[in-house]
Amino acid sequence: MLIGNATLPDGRRRDVRIEDETVVEVGKNLGDADIDATGKRLFPGAIDVHVHFRQPGFAHKETWETGSKSAAAGGVTTVVDQPNTDPPTVTGDAFDEKAALADASLVDYGINGGVTPDWDPDSLFSRRLFALGEVFLADSTGDMGIDAERFADAVERAGREDVSVTVHAEDATLFTEATKDRDDADAWSAYRTAEAEAAAVERAVEVGADAAADLHIAHTSTPEGIDAASDAGVTCEVTPHHLFLSRDDLPDLGTFGRMNPPLRSEQRREAVYDRVADGTVDVIATDHAPHTREEKDASIWNAPSGVPGVETMLPLLLEEARQGRFSYERVRDLTAANPAEIFDLPNKGRIEAGRDADLVLFDPDDAHEIQGDDLHSKCGWTPFEGRQGVFPELTLVRGEVVYDTRDGEAFGEGVGENVRA
């Protein structure tokens, strides 16, 4: 396949030649194009390092097929799935069960293992867990997940095994119990305080430094948490919902705006946005966590936490670039180049000879309103209803077309592979 006269993220117009699964040449006047990309932009496929595709155990919320279709339609060509399924991905057997289900994926994937409160760092169980590649640690302190001692043990083991550790950092001891008397939509944000995140990030990076471990802080929602990670030289991610939504949106979102960490004040959201724009934040990742409408339509204390986002991440960021608020290169770095570097995916993240042909083609001027009914996640709703997004017209995974709207919407076959195979 030859894609002709495409505008790359840095503004260069180039032809891109693909053979088998790989980009083999990027240059000018390479021949007769199979796809004329004049006036279009060509991006490396986005890498979403934080999704919950819900299988096994919760297929009524999402499946690998529906989640990966949503990813492909949003220009995401690689995802990293987190371990809180049923069974949780904390053993080799559980990993194998999830990997079998992931065969249905249209996009490439990684599967994170998790550490539980009864984890033994010296057991066969532990060695199998760390063989999975990345490890997700749910909460660095407090009673929400593993305790501080177990966290330190796991990080120390990760440092010895040279694997990446993704950390959900909230200190449950700093949650505000008094807010449990409230039933308004903002009560969840008042309960899980901004201070709880900052304190947990500070503790996590301290433990990581002692263990010489490679930490990555998940879904930072506060400028304080971002700064604590950045000051320590630790990478972090921000979700689209923490980038674009705040507590000011909760009167409209209601319990559909409950997630962990929760939405923050508009002032903090603006400070987070500034840190994304100026390069302090390394990655945008979605924490795609779909639930059904019926599940979310409950009280603020009973509704499950989480929102979908894998299909709208790149379109929302491309709209920011279209409006001149981000550069296209910054969007590329946040969604592709930086995740590939941080999570050691040398074949992904850029449009260069020798890299995987994970490519996304879009018309930069073709923005339209986001509507949940048009999206492909099984949950069928979005917290970004009514906002503008620039969606792909073509998505390729290692040279295979997995999503195409040029002659009516069509999906390709499930060609996804485990990036840690």
Side-chain angles (χ1 to χ4, degrees):
M1 182 187 296
L2 180 63
I3 301 174
N5 200 32
T7 303
L8 304 185
D10 60 8
R12 293 177 299 152
R13 293 183 181 178
R14 294 290 186 271
D15 298 346
V16 178
R17 186 183 301 282
I18 301 165
E19 292 182 6
D20 297 323
E21 300 183 346
T22 307
V23 173
V24 296
E25 192 174 7
V26 179
K28 293 183 177 181
N29 303 317
L30 298 184
D32 294 333
D34 300 294
I35 298 174
D36 181 6
T38 301
K40 309 290 178 65
R41 282 191 174 265
L42 189 68
F43 259 52
I47 302 168
D48 189 346
V49 298
H50 194 144
V51 305
H52 301 267
F53 277 179
R54 299 305 192 195
Q55 277 188 301
F58 305 102
H60 67 286
K61 302 175 190 279
E62 193 77 285
T63 66
W64 277 93
E65 180 181 0
T66 61
S68 65
K69 281 186 173 181
S70 193
V76 174
T77 56
T78 303
V79 298
V80 179
D81 191 72
Q82 305 303 340
N84 59 332
T85 45
D86 185 15
T89 315
V90 295
T91 68
D93 290 341
F95 177 90
D96 290 342
E97 181 178 355
K98 181 175 286 189
L101 292 166
D103 281 343
S105 179
L106 274 72
V107 302
D108 285 350
Y109 58 88
I111 297 175
N112 270 7
V115 172
T116 57
D118 59 355
W119 178 74
D120 177 357
D122 297 316
S123 68
L124 173 63
F125 170 85
S126 167
R127 293 196 293 276
R128 296 179 76 182
L129 172 65
F130 279 95
L132 304 186
E134 279 85 36
V135 174
F136 189 93
L137 303 180
D139 306 312
S140 57
T141 56
D143 60 5
M144 293 290 294
I146 58 175
D147 60 24
E149 180 179 0
R150 189 58 67 230
F151 176 84
D153 289 342
V155 171
E156 190 276 331
R157 180 60 184 269
R160 282 193 280 136
E161 300 291 342
D162 192 27
V163 298
S164 301
V165 177
T166 299
V167 181
H168 178 143
E170 286 185 284
D171 185 345
T173 65
L174 297 178
F175 292 174
T176 307
E177 295 295 323
T179 60
K180 288 187 174 180
D181 294 333
R182 294 167 46 182
D183 60 2
D184 58 288
D186 188 62
W188 193 250
S189 291
Y191 170 58
R192 297 177 79 115
T193 64
E195 291 75 18
E197 175 177 281
V201 173
E202 290 171 1
R203 173 59 180 157
V205 299
E206 178 183 330
V207 172
D210 290 342
D214 186 11
L215 297 191
H216 175 76
I217 309 299
H219 45 46
T220 44
S221 63
T222 64
E224 296 90 343
I226 292 167
D227 290 346
S230 178
D231 291 346
V234 170
T235 62
C236 70
E237 71 194 40
V238 164
T239 69
H241 44 273
H242 292 123
L243 181 63
F244 295 115
L245 302 174
S246 73
R247 294 168 77 166
D248 289 358
D249 295 290
L250 287 170
D252 292 329
L253 290 171
T255 55
F256 287 77
R258 173 178 152 164
M259 72 281 292
N260 302 331
L263 294 180
R264 304 302 185 186
S265 68
E266 177 62 15
Q267 182 179 8
R268 278 198 166 94
R269 185 205 68 80
E270 291 174 353
V272 167
Y273 189 103
D274 290 343
R275 285 159 174 77
V276 171
D278 69 16
T280 306
V281 171
D282 304 279
V283 172
I284 298 292
T286 65
D287 192 11
H288 174 79
H291 301 281
T292 67
R293 290 179 180 272
E294 291 76 17
E295 289 169 329
K296 292 293 278 188
D297 189 15
S299 74
I300 191 62
W301 301 106
N302 293 323
S305 292
V307 297
V310 70
E311 189 168 344
T312 50
M313 172 182 70
L314 186 58
L316 286 165
L317 293 171
L318 292 176
E319 173 63 10
E320 294 300 287
R322 188 178 77 91
Q323 296 292 341
R325 292 188 279 264
F326 288 165
S327 71
Y328 283 105
E329 290 177 283
R330 182 70 181 131
V331 175
R332 175 205 61 199
D333 291 348
L334 286 165
T335 62
N338 290 352
E341 181 176 354
I342 292 166
F343 287 88
D344 192 25
L345 301 173
N347 293 332
K348 299 189 181 294
R350 294 183 182 273
I351 302 175
E352 297 174 349
R355 301 229 183 188
D356 288 348
D358 296 344
L359 301 171
V360 178
L361 184 68
F362 62 91
D363 182 342
D365 297 320
D366 185 20
H368 65 266
E369 187 176 285
I370 296 172
Q371 296 181 348
D373 290 342
D374 295 335
L375 303 178
H376 300 85
S377 171
K378 196 169 185 178
C379 73
W381 62 273
T382 173
F384 303 109
E385 188 80 23
R387 291 175 180 257
Q388 294 290 305
V390 177
F391 285 81
E393 62 181 50
L394 183 69
T395 303
L396 281 69
V397 173
R398 287 176 286 102
E400 293 289 334
V401 175
V402 295
Y403 182 68
D404 190 351
T405 66
R406 294 171 298 165
D407 188 21
E409 185 178 69
F411 288 95
E413 298 297 320
V415 299
E417 294 182 354
N418 184 354
V419 296
R420 297 295 189 224

